[in-house]
Amino acid sequence: MGIFDWKHWIVLLVVVVLVFGTKKLKNFGSDLGESIKGFKKAMNEDEKPAEPTAPTAQPSQPVPPQSAPLNQPHTYDGEVQKVQEPARKE
């Protein structure tokens, strides 16, 4: 007798059905199936090569940061200086 004995699995199944109920187990099974299908679909989409896009016209002048698209990173040049605060009198 071990954990793979069929009697143990029957007892475990009965306990799970009593705790969760058949309706919740049915919903859990369908949700699990849908998530696996979604995962497989996402994996297949990642494996497909990216479709070539039409080249976009490059502007003759650089785009100022205020009108740049939100998904483009911004860099700012500047210097950092340490500021000393005056000592507090207590």
Side-chain angles (χ1 to χ4, degrees):
M1 282 236 266
I3 193 164
F4 296 110
D5 189 29
W6 65 273
K7 293 175 191 173
H8 291 162
W9 288 109
I10 296 293
V11 171
L12 183 65
L13 179 65
V14 169
V15 169
V16 167
V17 169
L18 289 175
V19 169
F20 293 108
T22 57
K23 187 174 182 179
K24 285 186 180 181
L25 289 177
K26 181 177 140 184
N27 290 341
F28 174 74
S30 62
D31 291 344
L32 181 64
E34 288 177 17
S35 63
I36 290 173
K37 286 179 186 178
F39 178 75
K40 286 182 180 180
K41 183 179 177 184
M43 291 300 292
N44 288 335
E45 288 175 358
D46 287 345
E47 292 176 0
K48 292 180 183 177
E51 296 178 5
T53 58
T56 58
Q58 297 292 329
S60 59
Q61 297 178 351
V63 178
Q66 292 81 13
S67 64
L70 294 177
N71 60 355
Q72 296 294 324
H74 300 290
T75 56
Y76 297 100
D77 293 329
E79 294 181 19
V80 179
Q81 297 179 353
K82 185 176 180 180
V83 177
Q84 294 182 352
E85 296 181 13
R88 292 189 214 171
K89 294 181 181 179
E90 291 184 21

